Amino acid sequence: MGMPPTLLMVGMSSSTGAYQERQGGHWPGQFGRQRASDINPSYGIILDRIGIIILSTAAVMETLNLFRNIYRWWKGPPPREEVSSAFRFKYTCFKDLLDSNTELLNIIADMEEKLRGRQVFGMTYVRSQSARAAFHAFRMIKSLDVLSGHKYPILYRVLEVINSRIKNRLGQRRELQVAELVLPLSGVNKGMVDWVGGKSANLGEVANRVRLPIPAGFAITTRAFDAFLAHNDLVDEINKRKMELDPQDPSSYLRVSDEIRQLILAAQVPPALEEAMGAAYQQMAAARGQGGPDDLRVSLRSSAIGEDSELSYAGQYLSVLNVGAHQLLQAYKEVVASLYTPRAISYRINKGIRGEDIAMSVACLEMVDAVASGVMYSRHPFNILEDRILISAVWGLGPYAVEGVITPDTYQIAKDEALTMVKTEVPPKTVQLVSNPQGGLMEIPVPPEMQDKPCLSPEQVKALAGYALKLEEHYRTPQDVEWSLDRQGRLLILQTRPLRLQAPAPGDLEAIPPIPGYPLLVDRGAVAAPGVGCGPAFLVREDKDLVQVPDGAVLVAKHSSPKFVVAMTKAQAIIADFGSISGHMASLSREFGVPTLLDTRVATSVITPGMEITVDAYTGRVYQGRVPELLARRQTRESHMEDTPVYQTLKQAAEHIVPLRLVDPRSPEFDPEHCRSLHDLGRLVHEFSYNEMFKISDLVSDRGEGALKLAAPIPLDLYLIDLDWGLTGVKKDAWKVTPENINCVPLKALLKGLMHPDLQARGPRPVQFSGLMSVMREQLLAGPNPEERFGDRSFAIISDKYLNFSSRVGYHYSVLDAYCGQTVNKNYITFSFKGGAADDVRRNRRVRAIAIALMGLDFSVDVKGDRVDARLMKYECPVIEEKMDQIGRLLNFTRQMDMLMTAEVSVEALARNFLEGNYSLEFLETPTG
């Protein structure tokens, strides 16, 4: 077996289940420039031409040692722990693959959101996300390669081709490099986001293009950040500390984070940067025209570059308020150090964000001596029927309004010409946050006479509402705004960003009553793609139904499927009983702009074909009939980024990342040669991985060394191999376990079905003479065939969430592979059943009966001869458990059933009685004459 052509060295750590992050500096190849000092001698470089990952050579030795151990295992009986170790490695590869599949889908969803053109981003974002997508695609391929015994070297070449196309798209964009260490906000706009970060870029845009007031200030650029690290040789020092991270040891993140932050806090600000910051500060002080320079207080706000917005939105990075001249440099270092909190380090490693793709710009703003502060939404964040401006206000500084320390005043303003006040609520406000003269902030009481007064006058409310309309018009999307009122009566914008329109939380949904006058069919679904759609319902039960979808219909299905893409140009909306909002089909719905609700649980049972329905993919509701109130709110929001060069670059790169064309695993084009995007590649690898895990039972089907016998009242001689927390309370020298020792969620559910009381209580199977003679005749005529007769042992390879179950008894076998955890995208069941002792006709009848029963349980099913293959994917854990229970019952119910399948009518009878819970078998008994 040769190495793939693009690899110089390959390896993956079985102990951590994750690739080592390239820490800081530059990556070789596509996304950066290689420096000799970046290459640690103990590291090997993977994908020289793609340039994504650097791995420890120790990982290569772990891989080689694993296969040596497997070879020794087959040569002779190994200790139990060695058997578990071999399977644990495969399981770890599989978990890594599932994790990267989830991350790849998240990256694609984030790119789709940016392609809507409503959020400010720069080339750093485009390069970082492209690199992350390639990283996770590679990690999936590598995991599959190890799982399969290197069966798919072509996938590396496919990845290289796709990645080279992305490289070409990114290479067409020429980027100007900022030379300044400090930029005044008067010279900043949204096009400078790569240099000054989103906060400063938006504030500059607000002041210079929207012409709204902001505090005086300047941006400390990413060039300053690079100079700060270089002046103190911090890149190598940070990398050295990060080498000590152990993903299995959470305390290592705390230790490494503390060491890195201490390095930064103790470092010297370069003289040139100190001079530039001092000059900008003095200029701000002089412009105030009152007091001495030391009287100016400022706030330093983080404005990180190169990550998606999750950490920034979560308030992970530091902002330091009420800073004087003498604390300016130290406050800057504190903000920079917040890049390396334990959570931030862990987040970047797990998300595959490269070190050189992050940087910290800092916004230095004049500290507002605030009379009142608050937050403003230019429309309701989740109620589509309320297109009003919402303002909240507290006395003093704004953090108390954001953090919910006190209940703020709230104002609702109509978007009419007069900006009419619709509603005002003024609760008592007993405390406020203010600047401490000695630095920092402090809480003080609100004077009694002010506690019940509104923070804003009607004129100030109207002025703020006018700001909201201007910002929404400029950015062409609703805005989330922070504002402040100073002692001179000026209303200032402190920050603006796109408002995240989202489905309401359960508690908020109760505050939005259903629209009266229309029957409510679905009261709660998960929003995969927002919007409103209306049309006749078209129920999709099988793939062939998709070609019959009429224009303007609403697709209704049991489960989401990427195959629905063929009808998305016709569909007004899509509704499914089950499905994941981060899955492949949800991504396609967002790409095509089709309002989509998933996980409704009841849609197919309450919506009839042809019924006109209106889908509200904001509140997650579905109404019978046409709802004009909702349809009037449908609008196509424009993009304010589409005319920028960086948007066009993202769009061109995304052509090789986002689209999904491989939607049907049964299609002859579902192969590596037809992958045109990283999404295609991820879908293919994800599908192939199930097949490889399905085969894991082949490694133990004839041997039981290292396995523990299960003592339980089931019709199987079952042995267990524990990979990771599949068993609890087992002594080291034990040779058997009981059901009470089992911690594996899917196995517990399977055993529940196998031990179902109605099946346990059932007497011997009815013996039909013709069926018995069929078995005897088949064996006499066919003669002994040792390859068709399996051993008498059954095996289960387990962890707390995973099960690979193989039952190979006599002349039939069944293999069951399942994962059941909290991440819906990872959950699945694959099941295969084959064989029997009777003739071909009776065996085929039994598998067809099993297939009908499985279809009744919502599995997708394929029958060939005497074999049935079934799959169920992306359901929540309780649903997976319920299906595993049913499969346990089915296995017990259908054993030795082939000799009873004497007539064609028995096929439907067996399946129908099983689904109805009738396990007596009386329906198969033949009266004796």
Side-chain angles (χ1 to χ4, degrees):
M1 265 178 297
M3 288 293 211
T6 56
L7 297 186
L8 298 180
M9 187 170 292
V10 177
M12 185 169 65
S13 168
S14 62
S15 62
T16 65
Y19 296 100
Q20 297 293 322
E21 181 195 21
R22 164 68 171 90
Q23 313 292 355
H26 294 283
W27 294 79
Q30 173 183 351
F31 298 110
R33 303 176 305 280
Q34 181 176 343
R35 296 192 308 234
S37 61
D38 288 339
I39 307 302
N40 187 304
S42 66
Y43 273 55
I45 303 174
I46 289 190
L47 294 178
D48 179 48
R49 280 169 291 200
I50 295 180
I52 304 173
I53 314 165
I54 292 183
L55 299 181
S56 169
T57 55
V60 181
M61 298 308 298
E62 289 184 60
T63 306
L64 296 175
N65 288 334
L66 166 74
F67 289 105
R68 292 193 190 102
N69 290 337
I70 292 177
Y71 175 74
R72 288 199 301 269
W73 176 53
W74 287 111
K75 295 285 287 184
R80 182 192 306 164
E81 56 270 18
E82 288 193 26
V83 176
S84 296
S85 179
F87 291 106
R88 190 176 295 114
F89 181 82
K90 281 186 171 286
Y91 175 61
T92 298
C93 292
F94 183 55
K95 286 201 301 182
D96 286 347
L97 189 151
L98 293 180
D99 288 343
S100 277
N101 180 68
T102 298
E103 289 304 321
L104 179 59
L105 291 174
N106 288 340
I107 292 165
I108 289 169
D110 189 62
M111 281 190 165
E112 289 169 333
E113 179 64 28
K114 296 298 189 296
L115 286 169
R116 297 171 73 183
R118 301 170 194 170
Q119 296 184 26
V120 174
F121 60 88
M123 275 303 299
T124 303
Y125 167 85
V126 180
R127 293 187 183 280
S128 174
Q129 292 295 74
S130 298
R132 287 184 61 207
F135 164 78
H136 287 293
F138 171 80
R139 191 174 182 230
M140 292 179 71
I141 291 170
K142 178 58 190 169
S143 298
L144 177 66
D145 197 43
V146 174
L147 275 176
S148 65
H150 308 291
K151 284 168 51 179
Y152 302 104
I154 188 176
L155 292 175
Y156 293 104
R157 294 193 289 272
V158 173
L159 175 59
E160 184 178 5
V161 169
I162 295 173
N163 216 38
S164 67
R165 292 170 182 162
I166 299 172
K167 173 184 175 181
N168 290 337
R169 295 296 193 183
L170 297 181
Q172 293 172 6
R173 163 77 170 151
R174 283 189 162 186
E175 299 169 64
L176 298 175
Q177 297 298 322
V178 63
E180 292 86 349
L181 300 174
V182 167
L183 285 172
L185 290 182
S186 59
V188 169
N189 57 55
K190 69 182 181 182
M192 299 178 177
V193 65
D194 280 335
W195 311 334
V196 300
K199 285 182 184 175
S200 295
N202 274 324
L203 276 175
E205 186 80 4
V206 169
N208 303 316
R209 293 183 175 172
V210 190
R211 303 297 181 185
L212 292 178
I214 66 169
F218 57 89
I220 307 170
T221 67
T222 55
R223 178 66 180 268
F225 174 79
D226 290 339
F228 173 72
L229 295 184
H231 182 76
N232 295 279
D233 294 324
L234 285 176
V235 172
D236 289 339
E237 290 297 322
I238 290 171
N239 288 343
K240 192 183 302 180
R241 267 58 174 194
K242 290 164 80 175
M243 293 277 287
E244 300 171 9
L245 289 171
D246 179 2
Q248 303 302 313
D249 178 14
S251 66
S252 70
Y253 285 92
L254 297 173
R255 183 181 66 256
V256 169
S257 169
D258 185 65
E259 290 179 3
I260 293 174
R261 285 186 288 169
Q262 290 304 319
L263 283 172
I264 292 171
L265 293 175
Q268 179 188 24
V269 174
L273 177 56
E274 181 177 357
E275 181 181 349
M277 291 172 61
Y281 178 88
Q282 294 296 333
Q283 188 175 359
M284 283 174 57
R288 291 176 74 237
Q290 56 181 356
D294 292 339
D295 293 335
L296 176 66
R297 314 296 287 190
V298 296
S299 63
L300 272 71
R301 296 178 176 266
S302 58
S303 193
I305 314 292
E307 297 181 356
D308 59 24
S309 53
E310 183 174 329
L311 279 178
S312 298
Y313 267 100
Q316 177 65 23
Y317 299 131
L318 183 67
S319 291
V320 184
L321 305 182
N322 197 27
V323 176
H326 299 298
Q327 296 88 39
L328 190 63
L329 300 181
Q330 187 64 22
Y332 172 72
K333 292 190 290 184
E334 289 176 10
V335 176
V336 170
S338 70
L339 267 178
Y340 298 99
T341 62
R343 180 187 170 194
I345 293 173
S346 174
Y347 178 88
R348 287 193 289 271
I349 289 177
N350 292 327
K351 300 291 185 181
I353 298 174
R354 305 176 306 167
E356 86 265 27
D357 283 335
I358 64 164
M360 180 63 81
S361 172
V362 177
C364 182
L365 305 175
E366 179 180 357
M367 189 71 190
V368 179
D369 185 11
V371 175
S373 304
V375 175
M376 174 169 60
Y377 297 154
S378 67
R379 64 147 298 136
H380 200 287
F382 52 79
N383 188 351
I384 188 176
L385 297 178
E386 285 193 14
D387 190 16
R388 298 171 181 169
I389 299 163
L390 306 181
I391 300 173
S392 64
V394 297
W395 294 118
L397 296 171
Y400 274 11
V402 177
E403 296 166 4
V405 176
I406 59 176
T407 303
D409 295 349
T410 56
Y411 310 88
Q412 294 187 24
I413 304 96
K415 288 184 175 179
D416 55 21
E417 188 174 346
L419 293 175
T420 306
M421 187 93 70
V422 177
K423 186 177 181 181
T424 301
E425 294 182 358
V426 183
K429 302 168 287 295
T430 59
V431 295
Q432 61 182 319
L433 196 64
V434 299
S435 297
N436 188 329
Q438 280 72 49
L441 307 179
M442 63 181 183
E443 180 184 294
I444 63 171
V446 173
E449 68 274 12
M450 302 294 292
Q451 291 182 3
D452 295 320
K453 286 188 175 181
C455 297
L456 297 173
S457 68
E459 293 75 21
Q460 290 167 337
V461 171
K462 185 174 291 190
L464 270 179
Y467 287 6
L469 291 181
K470 287 185 177 181
L471 290 169
E472 186 173 271
E473 180 182 5
H474 178 78
Y475 286 103
R476 304 177 194 174
T477 191
Q479 292 293 295
D480 174 356
V481 183
E482 293 180 22
W483 60 270
S484 195
L485 173 67
D486 70 8
R487 299 286 173 186
Q488 287 73 46
R490 295 184 305 161
L491 288 165
L492 304 172
I493 301 299
L494 305 181
Q495 177 173 290
T496 187
R497 59 189 178 187
L499 176 63
R500 289 186 166 186
L501 298 176
Q502 55 192 357
D508 295 327
L509 185 60
E510 294 172 3
I512 306 175
I515 299 173
Y518 306 94
L520 186 63
L521 302 174
V522 175
D523 64 353
R524 189 164 301 175
V527 177
V532 175
C534 180
F538 184 90
L539 267 63
V540 177
R541 297 183 178 87
E542 302 177 64
D543 294 347
K544 63 183 181 182
D545 295 337
L546 291 169
V547 299
Q548 308 293 331
V549 176
D551 284 330
V554 175
L555 269 67
V556 182
K558 190 77 174 178
H559 200 287
S560 61
S561 170
K563 297 176 185 178
F564 291 2
V565 68
V566 301
M568 284 186 178
T569 56
K570 301 178 181 179
Q572 284 291 306
I574 298 174
I575 315 169
D577 290 347
F578 299 95
S580 167
I581 61 173
S582 59
H584 294 291
M585 197 208 77
S587 175
L588 289 167
S589 292
R590 292 188 292 268
E591 182 182 344
F592 280 83
V594 182
T596 299
L597 291 182
L598 305 178
D599 205 29
T600 65
R601 305 301 176 94
V602 299
T604 56
S605 59
V606 298
I607 299 173
T608 57
M611 176 188 291
E612 186 175 43
I613 57 177
T614 299
V615 179
D616 178 1
Y618 290 104
T619 65
R621 290 170 174 153
V622 180
Y623 297 87
Q624 183 175 349
R626 187 175 182 84
V627 184
E629 295 92 328
L630 288 174
L631 297 176
R633 297 296 182 182
R634 283 195 295 188
Q635 54 182 322
T636 303
R637 291 188 173 89
E638 300 178 32
S639 162
H640 72 94
M641 287 290 290
E642 280 190 13
D643 57 350
T644 63
V646 67
Y647 178 92
Q648 295 303 320
T649 302
L650 174 64
K651 185 177 180 180
Q652 292 167 7
E655 290 174 0
H656 307 289
I657 299 173
V658 172
L660 178 63
R661 301 170 183 87
L662 301 189
V663 296
D664 185 1
R666 298 180 183 180
S667 167
E669 295 185 353
F670 197 86
D671 58 29
E673 288 82 0
H674 287 88
C675 290
R676 298 291 181 267
S677 69
L678 295 182
H679 200 169
D680 284 339
L681 197 54
R683 174 85 167 97
L684 186 85
V685 172
H686 191 224
E687 186 73 23
F688 284 1
S689 70
Y690 291 128
N691 298 331
E692 296 304 326
M693 288 304 289
F694 194 76
K695 298 171 186 175
I696 196 172
S697 59
D698 292 341
L699 297 176
V700 292
S701 59
D702 295 325
R703 303 170 70 94
E705 293 86 355
L708 297 172
K709 179 177 173 59
L710 177 65
I714 58 176
L716 297 170
D717 193 18
L718 182 59
Y719 288 78
L720 309 180
I721 296 175
D722 185 16
L723 300 178
D724 187 21
W725 293 102
L727 296 171
T728 59
V730 180
K731 295 181 179 179
K732 188 173 183 180
D733 57 349
W735 61 273
K736 69 176 181 179
V737 294
T738 66
E740 287 71 29
N741 297 120
I742 294 174
N743 189 49
C744 172
V745 175
L747 179 57
K748 283 197 290 188
L750 180 71
L751 290 176
K752 181 181 177 183
L754 284 168
M755 298 187 294
H756 191 278
D758 292 348
L759 291 163
Q760 293 284 323
R762 191 176 62 187
R765 297 227 186 291
V767 177
Q768 295 186 345
F769 183 74
S770 61
L772 179 61
M773 291 304 296
S774 167
V775 173
M776 295 176 63
R777 180 171 62 252
E778 183 69 14
Q779 303 313 310
L780 287 171
L781 294 176
N785 186 350
E787 293 190 4
E788 284 200 6
R789 179 171 177 84
F790 305 109
D792 293 327
R793 287 185 173 185
S794 299
F795 293 92
I797 303 165
I798 61 174
S799 75
D800 56 340
K801 301 172 185 175
Y802 174 71
L803 166 68
N804 184 281
F805 170 87
S806 60
S807 173
R808 306 184 180 218
V809 180
Y811 293 91
H812 76 270
Y813 79 78
S814 55
V815 180
L816 181 62
D817 198 72
Y819 190 94
C820 184
Q822 296 306 308
T823 305
V824 173
N825 269 350
K826 297 180 181 180
N827 293 343
Y828 70 92
I829 302 172
T830 55
F831 175 67
S832 182
F833 183 95
K834 176 179 171 58
D839 58 66
D840 291 345
V841 173
R842 294 168 193 256
R843 297 206 305 262
N844 178 259
R845 285 173 181 162
R846 174 165 64 174
V847 297
R848 284 190 286 123
I850 292 173
I852 294 171
L854 289 169
M855 285 189 287
L857 297 173
D858 302 321
F859 282 76
S860 59
V861 174
D862 185 33
V863 175
K864 293 181 181 177
D866 66 345
R867 172 171 175 154
V868 58
D869 294 290
R871 177 176 293 179
L872 181 132
M873 300 174 63
K874 299 180 182 178
Y875 283 81
E876 291 181 348
C877 190
V879 178
I880 296 290
E881 290 181 81
E882 188 268 329
K883 304 300 183 186
M884 292 294 293
D885 179 352
Q886 291 289 337
I887 289 179
R889 301 185 200 188
L890 188 62
L891 285 172
N892 203 341
F893 180 67
T894 58
R895 61 189 174 91
Q896 300 175 2
M897 191 70 75
D898 50 344
M899 69 176 68
L900 302 180
M901 309 297 286
T902 56
E904 189 64 24
V905 293
S906 61
V907 175
E908 291 282 352
L910 186 148
R912 183 178 64 254
N913 279 269
F914 172 79
L915 293 172
E916 292 174 355
N918 176 16
Y919 308 136
S920 68
L921 297 183
E922 293 178 359
F923 61 91
L924 288 176
E925 294 183 13
T926 301
T928 57

